[in-house]
Amino acid sequence: MGIRIEERKGLFSLETAHTLYQMKADETGVLQHIWYGPRTDTDMSYRIRTVNRGFCGNPYEMQDRPDYSLDTLPQEYSGSGAGDYRSSALEAENHDGSMSVDWRYAGYRLLKGKVKPERLPGLRGNEETDGLEITLEDKANGLTVYLTYWLFDRYDVIVRSARIENRGSKGIILRKAATLCVDFPYGQQDVIHFHGRHAMERIPERTGIPTGGRLAFESCRGMSSHQSNPFIILCDPNTTERSGMCYGFMLMYSGNHLEEVSRDQTGSTRVVCGIHPEKFSWKLEPGDSFQTPEAILSCSMEGLNILSRNYHRVIRDEVISPRWRKARKPVLVNSWEACYFDFNADKLLELARSAADLGMEMLVLDDGWFGCRNDDTTSLGDWFCNEGKLGCSLKELAERIHSQGLKFGLWLEPEMISPDSDLYRAHPDWALTDPGRKPMVSRHQLVLDMGRQEVRDYLYDNISTILKEARIEYIKWDFNRSMANVYSRALPEDRQGEAAHRFMLGTYSLLERLTNTFPDVMIEGCSGGGGRFDAGMLYYCPQIWCSDNTDAVERLEIQKGTSYGYPACTMGSHVSASPNHQTGRTIPLETRGIVAQAGTFGYELDPAKLTEAERKTVKSQIADFHRYEELIAWGDYYRLDESESDFTSWMFVSPDRSKALLSIVATHVRANGPFPFVRLQGLDPEKTYRREDTGEHMTGAALMHGGISFPQFTGDYPAIQVCFSAAAD
Ligand code: DGJ
């Protein structure tokens, strides 16, 4: 494992536990992408053939080699306007208006000790993490790109980013600056992407790639979005959960993004991922540089479940803050679906009392506690407690909640401003709005210009005051609109294309500052549910509210889709009231509990309204959760149902394979239906497991190959949860 460089050949090999990533600087200095896949111990450039395909130009120095063309050779970081007609990784406008970028290899540097990309979140690593930096330059304009690769070998993960520097003597404007480009010269592949909408996020869709065509998965909403997650999978057409080649590309970024997948005239597939170039530009004066976000790449030869587990492990270990990595998350009750804007301190206290009685551990006061906020039309930005509404100060409320034995959490939406707020009246220019145009409003709110230091200072001071005055253990950090009219009153005209990315850098810097000052306050990310569920936010927020849709049946799809890239311990998931507030569906409390247990687990209802029988069920759900929480947070997660069926099933297996938790939820019950049947995964075939509900004993081999069946389902959305424990040897 590690980085091997054969200077004579210009060959760079990055080896993880099972994979090899190879590049080669050829005789012209073009850095070719040679291979990404299983380890081979071979210079894989033997696969690259050249032929004159016609209408494929040749670099000037290769004009006598009509077979040598940037249009057909696999590129490590494609330029633009210089003969490669596929998706470019970088586009620039030179001082004279010319727009070509033509890279040539200029050197490399071995790195030791992971460093975070400047002003951006990044994988953490440690002083032993190995890295490689390759420099490419365009001699004509002095533009230089430093491609950085970090190896997270045991996860089969490679982390890429690019820093672009203007080493010329004239200004250059970047029009596109992607994080990566990866070419796959052979084979037909599918792409799996995760689309959605508010209240229905990260739905996987698998599609072929049209030859000669280009697919774009993207967000230009100023947020990673409900509509398209910055994560895609490329896989062979026959790849399943359990077998086949697949590759993941996950951008660690929470703003506008684009994942392009194209297939050219000869069937070569290219992936380019990065910040969305639409409405983006970045001015580089001589000596300036631009840093792209990191992307997390992984490859599995044995199907999608393993690919997902690579991401789960690396996110848990290397993205989540060490402060929260191993921390127990409190079972919380959130006030939103319990009382929306209609509460005072007495009502909240009543909620806290009944929650504590059932074993819940934290009350989160969601929205409506500040300014004059009794609905969503006002007060964002005025982060001062509405004591008139509450009947006491935040400090007193927190004390009274704590005296019930509960922790206290608070909702904030820092990046927003209501036009009806004291903050807006004082600083209308702090909102992102176009000059001379009425702004697009959404949920009656505008977006703050987080790129401005004074805006961030205001928020930092306000939030710090709240956190210092009252004992608050948790913040829910919300973001409830897509951005539009992204114009910063603080930037000159020719830098407006920077505003959206500067916004993101500003948000990250505020999060960085707050998490450094208040390391013990846990932040749960949120954006109208899961509109900003990405690795960038996970760097600061160990969990993210998965969706505003709390219907357990719909959550099956949302959480399953989310599981392709993100671990269960990051998915905010609550039991809510029935009938469900979003769909009106009635689902048994037991089923709601089992579904919420595949995430961070909490409640989103008024416990005082539960019947005696329901209270008993809730108590036992919480007890069960405590029994399994380590397994859920730290175990390996497997999606079990591969094809469409009438139920959804998944399981967690402890790292030592001594415990497993199987969950099955029926989404369609049929008269005289088949027996629910699943084949377990991840067990030790040699071990004997005890099925805890029946006391039966079976070997791991039997459970994995022979599977297990259950009596026919009856009723509405029934569910089964079974724990298996390995018998002592
Ligand atoms: C959207 C969030 O997703 C909800 O959970 C809730 O916090 C509301 N915002 C409050 O306005």
Side-chain angles (χ1 to χ4, degrees):
M1 277 191 293
I3 299 172
R4 272 190 299 110
I5 295 164
E6 291 170 64
E7 287 197 8
R8 203 178 37 80
K9 287 178 158 182
L11 186 68
F12 299 88
S13 302
L14 313 181
E15 282 177 346
T16 67
H18 304 96
T19 71
L20 170 66
Y21 187 105
Q22 248 180 13
M23 302 159 266
K24 190 171 200 171
D26 69 16
E27 66 269 37
T28 3
V30 167
L31 187 65
Q32 295 189 24
H33 176 80
I34 297 300
W35 173 249
Y36 189 24
R39 285 176 64 167
T40 61
D41 286 329
T42 304
D43 171 354
M44 299 298 281
S45 62
Y46 74 87
R47 300 167 77 236
I48 312 299
R49 285 189 182 281
T50 59
V51 68
N52 180 2
R53 295 241 174 229
F55 286 83
C56 299
N58 323 109
Y60 193 79
E61 63 271 40
M62 298 296 270
Q63 54 188 290
D64 297 330
R65 282 271 312 272
D67 61 314
Y68 183 99
S69 177
L70 300 184
D71 194 15
T72 52
L73 286 169
Q75 304 289 310
E76 186 57 24
Y77 195 72
S78 49
S80 63
D84 179 348
Y85 298 94
R86 297 164 289 178
S87 301
S88 46
L90 189 127
E91 286 169 23
E93 196 177 312
N94 298 311
H95 71 279
D96 54 8
S98 65
M99 290 193 282
S100 304
V101 179
D102 197 5
W103 301 121
R104 292 292 181 275
Y105 173 77
Y108 77 92
R109 199 158 66 96
L110 282 171
L111 309 171
K112 192 88 178 164
K114 175 75 172 64
V115 280
K116 200 169 80 59
E118 213 187 326
R119 298 163 73 198
L120 285 160
L123 267 77
R124 293 172 196 271
N126 57 37
E127 55 289 347
E128 292 304 315
T129 310
D130 286 316
L132 170 69
E133 181 189 87
I134 297 189
T135 308
L136 307 180
E137 64 183 15
D138 182 338
K139 286 216 169 67
N141 57 11
L143 206 58
T144 303
V145 62
Y146 302 93
L147 302 175
T148 304
Y149 303 80
W150 293 104
L151 260 65
F152 289 83
D153 347 335
R154 64 195 179 97
Y155 310 96
D156 280 326
V157 156
I158 292 173
V159 172
R160 272 189 75 171
S161 67
R163 186 169 67 82
I164 301 112
E165 189 180 356
N166 180 0
R167 291 171 64 179
S169 55
K170 302 268 172 43
I172 296 177
I173 298 172
L174 298 182
R175 298 280 178 207
K176 179 179 187 183
T179 293
L180 64 85
C181 163
V182 179
D183 281 338
F184 297 87
Y186 303 107
Q188 179 79 53
Q189 279 151 321
D190 286 347
V191 59
I192 303 174
H193 67 111
F194 300 88
H195 68 94
R197 54 187 185 272
H198 174 234
M200 202 66 205
E201 298 90 338
R202 290 171 297 285
I203 305 306
E205 184 177 69
R206 185 165 175 165
T207 169
I209 308 159
T211 305
R214 184 187 305 188
L215 303 173
F217 308 105
E218 60 190 340
S219 165
C220 288
R221 293 168 180 270
M223 57 205 278
S224 49
S225 87
H226 304 85
Q227 287 75 9
S228 181
N229 196 262
F231 174 52
I232 56 165
I233 297 172
L234 210 66
C235 59
D236 287 354
N238 59 0
T239 294
T240 67
E241 290 287 8
R242 294 165 186 247
S243 67
M245 279 300 301
C246 47
Y247 302 87
F249 301 90
M250 178 182 283
L251 197 66
M252 196 170 188
Y253 190 58
S254 315
N256 294 340
H257 62 90
L258 173 66
E259 292 75 42
E260 292 171 86
V261 184
S262 53
R263 189 171 150 82
D264 76 359
Q265 53 180 342
T266 64
S268 159
T269 299
R270 170 170 289 182
V271 176
V272 173
C273 303
I275 293 178
H276 205 301
E278 197 169 303
K279 297 187 190 63
F280 166 87
S281 65
W282 201 276
K283 198 169 171 185
L284 291 181
E285 296 294 0
D288 286 355
S289 62
F290 179 82
Q291 173 65 56
T292 74
E294 289 188 340
I296 311 171
L297 281 65
S298 188
C299 164
S300 150
M301 283 67 82
E302 292 170 76
L304 299 166
N305 257 322
I306 290 196
L307 187 76
S308 295
R309 274 199 304 287
N310 293 346
Y311 279 99
H312 296 176
R313 289 177 180 159
V314 86
I315 287 175
R316 285 188 310 216
D317 293 352
E318 304 289 352
V319 174
I320 304 287
S321 154
R323 168 65 184 84
W324 302 110
R325 213 171 270 168
K326 288 277 178 192
R328 265 209 63 239
K329 312 267 184 65
V331 174
L332 64 84
V333 57
N334 180 295
S335 68
W336 182 240
E337 287 195 21
C339 36
Y340 296 102
F341 291 103
D342 179 21
F343 57 81
N344 58 23
D346 289 343
K347 190 163 173 183
L348 293 171
L349 226 69
E350 191 42 48
L351 195 75
R353 213 169 285 135
S354 41
D357 195 37
L358 297 176
M360 298 176 201
E361 297 164 297
M362 177 161 75
L363 180 119
V364 177
L365 172 51
D366 195 312
D367 209 343
W369 59 270
F370 53 93
C372 317
R373 184 123 163 136
N374 290 311
D375 56 32
D376 63 14
T377 61
T378 170
S379 299
L380 296 171
D382 297 345
W383 302 111
F384 308 103
C385 177
N386 186 345
E387 296 190 7
K389 174 174 177 173
L390 275 180
C392 68
S393 68
L394 213 49
K395 178 175 186 315
E396 284 165 313
L397 178 66
E399 277 166 4
R400 289 163 76 188
I401 304 280
H402 283 119
S403 73
Q404 298 295 324
L406 292 186
K407 294 181 171 172
F408 181 51
L410 196 66
W411 179 95
L412 290 164
E413 196 178 357
E415 297 143 285
M416 297 291 163
I417 181 167
S418 304
D420 181 11
S421 66
D422 290 342
L423 184 66
Y424 187 77
R425 283 181 280 275
H427 300 286
D429 60 313
W430 283 11
L432 291 168
T433 54
D434 285 334
R437 189 189 296 280
K438 294 274 181 239
M440 205 274 291
V441 280
S442 181
R443 213 192 188 206
H444 309 280
Q445 62 199 58
L446 301 175
V447 184
L448 278 171
D449 185 354
M450 296 296 292
R452 289 174 76 158
Q453 184 67 47
E454 62 272 42
V455 172
R456 298 197 297 271
D457 287 346
Y458 167 83
L459 291 170
Y460 177 81
D461 291 345
N462 256 243
I463 298 171
S464 308
T465 306
I466 295 168
L467 294 178
K468 280 179 192 151
E469 274 175 16
R471 206 175 119 211
I472 292 169
E473 280 98 352
Y474 159 112
I475 287 175
K476 180 173 175 186
W477 184 294
D478 212 342
F479 183 96
N480 279 306
R481 63 161 287 182
S482 307
M483 283 161 59
N485 314 113
V486 184
Y487 185 98
S488 165
R489 304 301 173 123
L491 290 174
E493 279 166 34
D494 59 348
R495 285 194 179 267
Q496 289 301 328
E498 301 177 13
H501 182 56
R502 287 188 184 275
F503 172 93
M504 229 34 265
L505 295 177
T507 294
Y508 289 144
S509 117
L510 179 61
L511 281 162
E512 182 90 31
R513 201 167 159 201
L514 285 167
T515 48
N516 283 339
T517 315
F518 303 98
D520 295 330
V521 177
M522 184 176 81
I523 305 182
E524 172 157 349
C526 177
S527 171
R532 222 164 43 173
F533 204 118
D534 55 69
M537 289 312 283
L538 286 172
Y539 182 86
Y540 304 101
C541 311
Q543 58 193 51
I544 297 178
W545 183 225
C546 211
S547 178
D548 271 351
N549 187 344
T550 60
D551 175 308
V553 170
E554 301 253 276
R555 273 294 185 119
L556 290 174
E557 279 182 67
I558 296 167
Q559 292 175 192
K560 180 176 172 182
T562 307
S563 80
Y564 280 89
Y566 307 95
C569 66
T570 63
M571 295 186 213
S573 186
H574 300 164
V575 175
S576 63
S578 190
N580 178 266
H581 290 196
Q582 291 80 43
T583 59
R585 198 190 328 249
T586 302
I587 300 170
L589 182 54
E590 290 75 6
T591 302
R592 283 177 274 151
I594 287 172
V595 175
Q597 281 182 7
T600 60
F601 197 60
Y603 290 81
E604 184 101 7
L605 44 68
D606 185 350
K609 292 192 178 141
L610 296 172
T611 64
E612 205 35 56
E614 288 172 330
R615 289 168 54 78
K616 262 182 133 169
T617 306
V618 167
K619 278 188 184 169
S620 76
Q621 275 172 351
I622 294 175
D624 279 350
F625 181 69
H626 288 318
R627 208 167 306 135
Y628 305 135
E629 63 187 319
E630 273 191 32
L631 186 53
I632 293 167
W634 291 99
D636 288 335
Y637 173 90
Y638 294 81
R639 292 175 295 272
L640 295 183
D641 47 330
E642 290 194 16
S643 52
E644 288 193 12
S645 74
D646 293 339
F647 59 86
T648 297
S649 55
W650 65 94
M651 65 187 288
F652 294 97
V653 182
S654 61
D656 66 358
R657 299 194 285 177
S658 67
K659 266 208 175 321
L661 184 66
L662 166 69
S663 303
I664 307 178
V665 177
T667 46
H668 194 140
V669 168
R670 294 179 192 275
N672 198 16
F675 296 119
F677 169 80
V678 284
R679 280 180 300 145
L680 273 56
Q681 289 187 50
L683 303 176
D684 182 338
E686 310 282 315
K687 280 198 166 101
T688 298
Y689 290 85
R690 179 174 185 274
R691 185 179 152 177
E692 290 196 344
D693 57 337
T694 61
E696 286 169 276
H697 285 77
M698 286 152 273
T699 59
L703 288 164
M704 292 195 292
H705 302 304
I708 182 165
S709 68
F710 294 90
Q712 288 152 317
F713 282 125
T714 54
D716 286 337
Y717 311 111
I720 303 167
Q721 191 174 54
V722 182
C723 186
F724 296 87
S725 305
D729 294 328

